[in-house]
Amino acid sequence: METNDLHPVQNLTEDECWDLLISSSFGRLALSISGKPDIYPVNFVAVDKRLMFRTAEGTKLLELTVNNTVAFETDGVGRNEAWSVVAHGEARVLEKQTEIEAADQLPLRPLIPTLKYIYVEITPAKITGRRFPLGPEPDRY
């Protein structure tokens, strides 16, 4: 879909969204418990139509085990355009040793010097994305 002056926002296809997810490494995990939302920054990797990240015991892990329905967002801003991809799906902690060993082979390391041995997989049920040009506000008339 092309953009124009009246409708500058371009809706992305699912394949375009996955391309952007694959090229990204930092996003935001949105969780909600008892109607109280939380957002956590995480580094991640997209592989085989799944999103993977590492975590440690704590609030984030507790919340996603209580309610595994999550949203995940990543975005980018360049000189002339910006984009955003949002995935809605279910998260689960990897528990099988074969899954953990496979996840250990992914290029996924903590950004800060902490031990994060728990792998979480998000399987998206819905992915949407938008791309839009950056520039000055148009004239009103």
Side-chain angles (χ1 to χ4, degrees), residues 29-113:
L29 176 68
L31 306 162
S32 181
I33 301 295
S34 299
K36 296 179 181 175
D38 271 322
I39 298 176
Y40 298 95
V42 296
N43 61 307
F44 75 101
V45 63
V47 60
D48 298 329
K49 302 290 185 180
R50 299 170 297 142
L51 306 173
M52 305 284 290
F53 68 92
R54 290 170 60 173
T55 191
E57 290 186 12
T59 306
K60 180 183 355 168
L61 181 61
L62 176 64
E63 288 184 17
L64 70 84
T65 55
V66 171
N67 180 4
N68 71 336
T69 302
V70 300
F72 186 87
E73 190 271 349
T74 189
D75 52 49
V77 178
R79 286 182 181 259
N80 300 315
E81 70 175 19
W83 58 268
S84 174
V85 173
V86 176
H88 294 89
E90 292 188 354
R92 73 176 186 94
V93 173
L94 299 187
E95 296 179 349
K96 294 180 183 175
Q97 190 60 36
T98 55
E99 293 176 318
I100 294 167
E101 289 170 0
D104 277 337
Q105 302 306 308
L106 297 173
L108 185 59
R109 303 293 174 257
L111 292 177
I112 59 174

Side-chain angles (χ1 to χ4, degrees), residues 10-28:
Q10 173 191 3
N11 291 317
L12 302 176
T13 66
E14 186 172 324
D15 286 340
E16 290 171 318
C17 291
W18 277 109
D19 288 344
L20 290 168
L21 286 165
I22 289 168
S23 70
S24 300
S25 62
F26 189 79
R28 290 147 207 89

